[in-house]
Amino acid sequence: MARRLDEQIAARYPVGQRLRILDVGMGRGAQALRLARAGHEITALESDPALLRRVQEALATEPAGIRERFRLVQGEFRETGVHFLPGSFDVVLCHGVLTTSEEPDALLAGLARMLAPGGLLSLLVRNAGALAMGPGLAGDWTGALTTLDAPAATDREGRPVRADRLDALTSTLAGIAAPLHAWYGVQVFTPWGPDSGLPAAEELERLLAAEDRAGRTDPYRGIAAMLHLCGARAA
């Protein structure tokens, strides 16, 4: 499903355009590597030395052309202004980073300054408007009621993490001169079904097609587990 994010981002640009992309909090680097293989110039900012080493090892197995257009930078996500000049990137990815951010508005404002005219800020966040879906569909009525009364999210270890609402982020994006251009639901169906692993290839294609269409269609996209928001700087 991560490839759907790539497609949603690329849809703003002419086919074949080479983009300068900043990936803030690249994690294991899967998306950054995929975009580099597609011909884009990648700068990845990551604070975790272990993750940086892991991506460096993966890069070592790639062709020279991909290594040459992939730059790794160790640093805090809030310090983009220390490492890069304003307006340096066509696309800034901030996928999953807000879940652990204590000052999301300040972080997003810093990322928006990195955008060139016409640039795109891509956010992937937990959907605070759908947190009760999981416990509710599992028959955990206490959990559903608790979440509805005091929305909160937890990670796999049960630790609290941030979740965000579409209207609040829409307002934030407008305030940092990167107003909402498009938004999508991510994982509309898959989080709520039985965890039985990936289906066979033919069934997987149908699943991805259903997820893609639902993620673009109201009211389904509003109950997705995650939201993908694209804010666009004026050209």
Side-chain angles (χ1 to χ4, degrees):
M1 293 186 188
R3 285 181 172 81
R4 302 292 184 190
L5 300 182
D6 299 349
E7 295 167 3
Q8 291 162 2
I9 293 166
R12 177 173 169 81
Y13 300 96
V15 175
Q17 181 174 341
R18 299 287 181 90
L19 300 171
R20 299 166 298 164
I21 299 176
L22 172 63
D23 189 353
V24 176
M26 65 171 178
R28 297 180 180 182
Q31 185 172 28
L33 282 168
R34 190 170 57 251
L35 290 167
R37 293 174 188 134
H40 302 298
E41 181 182 319
I42 305 299
T43 301
L45 179 66
E46 177 55 59
S47 60
D48 187 333
L51 290 174
L52 283 167
R53 287 193 298 271
R54 182 168 184 163
V55 176
Q56 285 173 335
E57 292 169 359
L59 269 177
T61 67
E62 297 287 337
I66 293 176
R67 296 198 303 271
E68 289 168 1
R69 58 175 176 265
F70 199 114
R71 178 189 176 199
L72 289 169
V73 178
Q74 182 172 355
E76 295 297 327
F77 308 147
R78 300 183 303 275
E79 297 177 352
T80 49
V82 173
H83 302 285
F84 316 113
L85 292 175
S88 296
F89 300 97
D90 303 305
V91 177
V92 175
L93 308 180
C94 180
H95 292 177
V97 173
L98 293 191
T99 60
T100 57
S101 175
E102 296 180 357
E103 298 180 343
D105 289 357
L107 171 62
L108 293 178
L111 299 185
R113 285 193 287 272
M114 298 299 105
L115 292 174
L120 198 72
L121 176 57
S122 174
L123 308 178
L124 184 64
V125 301
R126 291 177 185 266
N127 181 9
L131 294 177
M133 291 293 293
L137 290 175
D140 177 7
W141 311 122
T142 299
L145 286 168
T146 299
T147 304
L148 286 167
D149 291 339
T154 57
D155 62 15
R156 293 179 179 178
E157 283 73 43
R159 296 171 299 196
V161 294
R162 281 183 51 82
D164 291 277
R165 294 190 178 275
L166 176 64
D167 55 354
L169 283 179
T170 298
S171 177
T172 297
L173 289 171
I176 59 176
L180 185 67
H181 166 70
W183 70 279
Y184 311 89
V186 178
Q187 292 187 311
V188 177
F189 302 120
T190 49
W192 322 127
D195 186 9
S196 55
L198 290 176
E202 184 176 344
E203 185 68 12
L204 179 60
E205 286 302 313
R206 287 195 289 266
L207 166 61
L208 293 176
E211 283 282 359
D212 182 56
R213 185 169 176 182
R216 300 169 183 268
T217 304
D218 290 325
Y220 304 104
R221 61 178 179 167
I223 60 166
M226 310 283 288
L227 298 177
H228 179 209
L229 289 77
C230 297
R233 174 79 78 190

